[in-house]
Amino acid sequence: MNADNRLLSTLAEGLIRTPLLVVLIVMVIGVQLVTGSFFEWQNVRGILQDSAVIAIIAVPVAMLLISGYIDLSVGSSLALGGVVASLIVANGQGDPAIAVLLAVVAGAVVGAVNAVVVTIFGLNSLITTLGTLTAVRGATQLISPTPKNNFGDGFGFLGIGTIAGVPLSVWIAALIIIVAGVFLTLTPTGRHVYAIGVNREAAYLSGVAVKRIPFVLFIVSGAAAAFAGTIVVARLNSAPAGQIGGGFELVVLTAVLLGGVALTGGEGSMFGVLVGVLFYGVLNNGLVLLGVTTFWQAVASGVALIAAIGLSRVTHVLRVRLAAANARRLAAMAPA
């Protein structure tokens, strides 16, 4: 195969692996051409701040999906973390660092409960986390029936502070994505996450810790969601327990699936998750800029979820066919 054909093959494989990136670029250009205001820094900053919160939760949720499990309780864990922190720093009192630490611990406890029920007792992760989704939401409202506010500048910096002009939450999300990407691709434990998602029994027979790894991922998922909750309430300067994080589990799941993480496990990357998160953020922002009503925005989000699953299936089929074509080409080039 000559250089031109190799280049075309590489481009085709890249597009198959991240087709959403092309759609994202086209969508950004289209929204800018129609509204003329997409690239204004205030608008871009808002997208990045919203996307950062989604990304912080999406990273561990994606790793859980890759390992063959799902966590739908993240929206309620987000609310719990935000409310726990708000109780400590309400009216400008309390140490912000301790507030964040206790919020993360609360989220980790929720994750540990999910982990025990799913990995030790063997219950289905979808059903289990649906249960904790409801239970944690109710418990959060019991803890703080009326919203706390006025958290002070120290805690507020977590939500609205900037470093070099970029929101702090964006720096945090970027660091988490990079660390997770390195973990998944360059460490043996990261490769074991994929192995568990592809075939749990085969992974077990190969010596992989098929229970311990998902156990830890559930705890990380709960802790990350609670940490994201502290960013949300710091940005809002209020913590309405019944409202924050509502439906967030579907937002995160949509972004993760849009990014190419397979619902059946074994496939996905942090780069894909990043693209999926940005796609979801740009989609919602574009609809707002275009003056689309909130009802149609909800319709668009639902359609995006269905499209994400369909896109995941199509790209999986294309990857299989491309791999088969490459195998046939190599076989034809082999000496007789």
Side-chain angles (χ1 to χ4, degrees), residues 58-75:
V59 167
V61 168
M63 288 195 283
L64 266 174
L65 273 178
I66 292 172
S67 68
Y69 296 91
I70 192 169
D71 185 358
L72 292 180
S73 65
V74 289

Side-chain angles (χ1 to χ4, degrees), residues 8 14 110 114 118 239 260 290 335-336:
L8 290 174
V110 176
N114 288 331
V118 173
L290 294 171

Side-chain angles (χ1 to χ4, degrees), residues 302-329:
V303 172
L305 178 58
I306 297 172
I309 297 173
L311 188 63
S312 175
R313 177 60 182 167
V314 170
T315 53
H316 174 76
V317 172
L318 289 176
R319 280 198 297 271
V320 170
R321 290 183 178 180
L322 183 64
N326 287 335
R328 287 195 297 271
R329 189 187 69 248

Side-chain angles (χ1 to χ4, degrees), residues 133-228:
L133 166 74
T134 305
V136 172
R137 175 67 66 177
T140 303
Q141 291 175 295
L142 286 172
I143 293 172
S144 180
T146 56
K148 302 293 185 293
N149 48 35
N150 298 325
F151 303 139
D153 294 337
F155 186 73
F157 184 77
L158 184 62
I160 61 176
T162 61
I163 296 177
V166 178
L168 175 62
S169 57
V170 176
W171 288 110
I172 295 172
L175 178 63
I176 290 174
I177 289 176
I178 291 171
V179 171
V182 171
F183 168 75
L184 276 180
T185 57
L186 298 181
T187 69
T189 306
R191 290 189 287 273
H192 290 171
V193 173
Y194 287 96
I196 295 171
V198 171
N199 190 324
R200 198 171 304 165
E201 291 187 2
Y204 172 75
L205 294 174
S206 300
V208 174
V210 296
K211 289 186 176 180
R212 187 172 70 244
I213 292 175
F215 192 102
V216 173
L217 289 178
F218 270 114
I219 295 176
V220 173
S221 178
F227 176 65

